[in-house]
Amino acid sequence: MSSFTESGLVKKLSELNPSQQSIQTLSLWLIHHRKHHSIIVKTWLKELHRVSSSKKLTFMYLANDVIQNSKKKGPEFGKEYENVLLKAFKLIAGSGPEEKTIHSLNRILNIWGERGVYDEPKIKEYSAALNQREKSPDAAATATAATPSKKNGEEKREKRKQEGGDSNGHGHKKKSKSSSSSSSSSATANSGSSAAPVEKKPVKSEVTIEVNGKVETHVTLSPHQPDGDPPEPEELIRVIQELENSASSDAAVRERIANLPPEVSELSALAKLEDKEAAMRLAVKVNDAIKILNDYNARLASEMDDRKKLTTMLKDFQREQQELLAQAEQRLEEYTSKLSKIKEVQREVRNHMNNLPDLTALPDVTGGLAPLPSAGDLFNIHHH
């Protein structure tokens, strides 16, 4: 791992991208150089002023990662960031951020409150600074949601347990019966959000990096990815694979629906009923058909929500890949230019070497000359 310099930190911050790997790698580097915590946080704040509004959110994810993962090695970063976070939130609020940026930052504050990263008055102060630009009741509700009390957190956890919600924020729960609203909430929970509170057990992902010959493991305590942020490739693949078994591809149910007796959907069949028993038999068939169709329609509604979520994920993933591609092209151009300059220097060195005289071809200037006197000879001459 490279040694710490302020210019090196500025370069690394400029190369930071929203991917989990990029944030974790730089976070581990900063924690390794925690003795420079004061310079690191000051430089982070200075560069936060310079970056675009969209990248400010990535800077906050980096700060969140450093604050939480550095606690086990010392409180330096937590205390240092505490002094500048109010300025950071005010700066972001004044930069005209998107709603999803404000939402993601409020959820980070929510996590800090639940995990005791900072005390409640500090969280409220940060939340007020972040949401100062908004005066609507909805905004006030968002700000309030960012500062839950311990009691509220326990109530939410109990409620999720009763509802049987997915505790780790990963994976879809497949049910034969589900409503449109429940599938929508499932899609939100499965969107890989990094700021969503994890109630039962925090999701942990680890990155192992060798630092000066010693292997260090970096644990990401924060949930995975925020709403609207690019998903990891593995998560995207998982969602696509789950859609392979969606309702629209269930040939068995479609065949059952196609083979329903025609009288369950034709009013003219009522005129043919001759007695009460025939009417009861038709009623049973109609009820069975309604049950099959209701279940299938609920599954289709859930699939629609999942496909909408997948569309958003694909757009975010494509956007991230385009940004990474642009960075890679920029670096390629930069290093191609450097390589060209190095090759030019190489040619100049070779030309210079070729113009140097060949010492082996020079005449022997020492031939025929008397040998130099020894130290003893010089001593004798001096006394004579």
Side-chain angles (χ1 to χ4, degrees):
M1 186 171 285
S2 59
S3 59
F4 178 83
T5 62
E6 187 173 349
S7 60
L9 172 59
V10 171
K11 187 173 187 298
K12 287 180 181 292
L13 288 172
S14 69
E15 295 174 350
L16 181 66
N17 63 65
S19 70
Q20 187 179 15
Q21 181 68 30
S22 177
I23 293 171
Q24 286 181 344
T25 302
L26 181 51
S27 174
L28 182 59
W29 186 82
L30 295 176
I31 294 172
H32 177 70
H33 295 290
R34 60 188 176 279
K35 66 180 180 181
H36 303 288
H37 58 90
S38 179
I39 297 175
I40 288 172
V41 174
K42 287 178 182 177
T43 305
W44 174 89
L45 182 63
K46 181 174 66 176
E47 294 302 311
L48 183 68
H49 282 78
R50 299 178 179 177
V51 297
S52 63
S53 179
S54 60
K55 194 168 182 179
K56 283 180 170 57
L57 181 59
T58 306
F59 268 52
M60 292 303 299
Y61 290 150
L62 174 65
N64 173 52
D65 205 277
V66 170
I67 291 168
Q68 294 203 57
N69 282 288
S70 65
K71 287 196 297 183
K72 57 189 177 183
K73 294 190 175 182
E76 302 94 339
F77 276 113
K79 292 180 178 178
E80 198 69 36
Y81 268 109
E82 185 177 358
N83 299 327
V84 302
L85 281 173
L86 184 60
K87 293 180 182 177
F89 282 118
K90 287 182 178 179
L91 173 65
I92 294 172
S95 64
E98 297 180 0
E99 289 298 323
K100 66 179 183 180
T101 299
I102 295 293
H103 180 63
S104 297
L105 291 175
N106 275 322
R107 295 175 75 180
I108 289 178
L109 290 173
N110 186 10
I111 290 174
W112 288 356
E114 289 188 348
R115 294 180 182 171
V117 177
Y118 294 112
D119 55 28
E120 189 171 340
K122 273 291 178 187
I123 299 293
K124 287 183 177 179
E125 188 178 8
Y126 297 153
S127 178
L130 176 63
N131 296 282
Q132 63 183 354
R133 66 187 185 89
E134 301 178 4
K135 302 299 182 182
S136 67
D138 293 341
T142 303
T144 304
T147 57
S149 64
K150 182 177 180 182
K151 182 177 178 182
N152 289 340
E154 291 174 353
E155 289 175 354
K156 289 180 181 178
R157 283 191 286 274
E158 187 62 28
K159 185 177 179 182
R160 280 181 171 80
K161 289 179 182 178
Q162 292 173 357
E163 293 174 351
D166 190 358
S167 64
N168 61 9
H170 293 280
H172 294 273
K173 291 194 172 184
K174 291 189 176 293
K175 297 182 180 179
S176 59
K177 296 181 181 181
S178 61
S179 67
S180 175
S181 61
S182 67
S183 64
S184 175
S185 100
S186 173
T188 304
N190 292 328
S191 63
S193 165
S194 82
V198 179
E199 306 300 347
K200 294 183 182 178
K201 185 178 180 181
V203 178
K204 294 186 179 181
S205 61
E206 298 182 353
V207 173
T208 302
I209 299 180
E210 186 173 337
V211 182
N212 294 339
K214 183 175 73 173
V215 175
E216 292 189 4
T217 300
H218 180 90
V219 180
T220 300
L221 297 173
S222 300
H224 192 274
Q225 290 281 356
D227 290 337
D229 272 13
E232 294 297 316
E234 295 81 4
E235 182 187 4
L236 193 59
I237 292 170
R238 175 182 55 75
V239 173
I240 293 173
Q241 287 175 338
E242 288 177 353
L243 281 174
E244 292 179 357
N245 300 319
S246 58
S248 60
S249 61
D250 193 340
V253 175
R254 292 206 313 272
E255 185 177 357
R256 286 181 64 190
I257 294 173
N259 292 332
L260 288 173
E263 57 266 24
V264 301
S265 59
E266 295 178 0
L267 292 176
S268 59
L270 297 176
K272 299 177 183 180
L273 296 176
E274 298 177 352
D275 52 36
K276 184 176 181 181
E277 290 183 0
M280 293 295 294
R281 288 195 298 271
L282 179 60
V284 170
K285 291 180 181 179
V286 170
N287 289 336
D288 290 341
I290 289 174
K291 182 178 182 300
I292 293 172
L293 289 170
N294 279 341
D295 289 348
Y296 192 62
N297 286 340
R299 291 175 60 197
L300 287 173
S302 176
E303 180 185 344
M304 286 175 59
D305 289 334
D306 290 342
R307 290 191 181 278
K308 288 177 182 178
K309 170 206 157 185
L310 177 60
T311 301
T312 302
M313 292 173 68
L314 288 169
K315 289 179 180 177
D316 293 333
F317 184 77
Q318 183 183 28
R319 170 177 52 78
E320 182 202 27
Q321 294 304 311
Q322 288 173 342
E323 291 175 357
L324 294 175
L325 175 61
Q327 290 181 15
E329 288 175 344
Q330 182 179 358
R331 289 189 188 130
L332 176 61
E333 183 179 353
E334 177 184 347
Y335 290 121
T336 301
S337 175
K338 288 183 179 179
L339 177 61
S340 176
K341 292 177 180 178
I342 291 173
K343 286 184 175 180
E344 184 178 350
V345 172
Q346 183 186 47
R347 284 194 298 270
E348 290 296 326
V349 170
R350 286 178 177 173
N351 290 336
H352 185 69
M353 290 175 62
N354 291 334
N355 292 330
L356 290 175
D358 186 0
L359 297 179
T360 61
L362 292 176
D364 185 6
V365 296
T366 62
L369 296 178
L372 292 174
S374 65
D377 294 337
L378 292 173
F379 183 77
N380 292 334
I381 293 171
H382 178 70
H383 281 79
H384 287 339

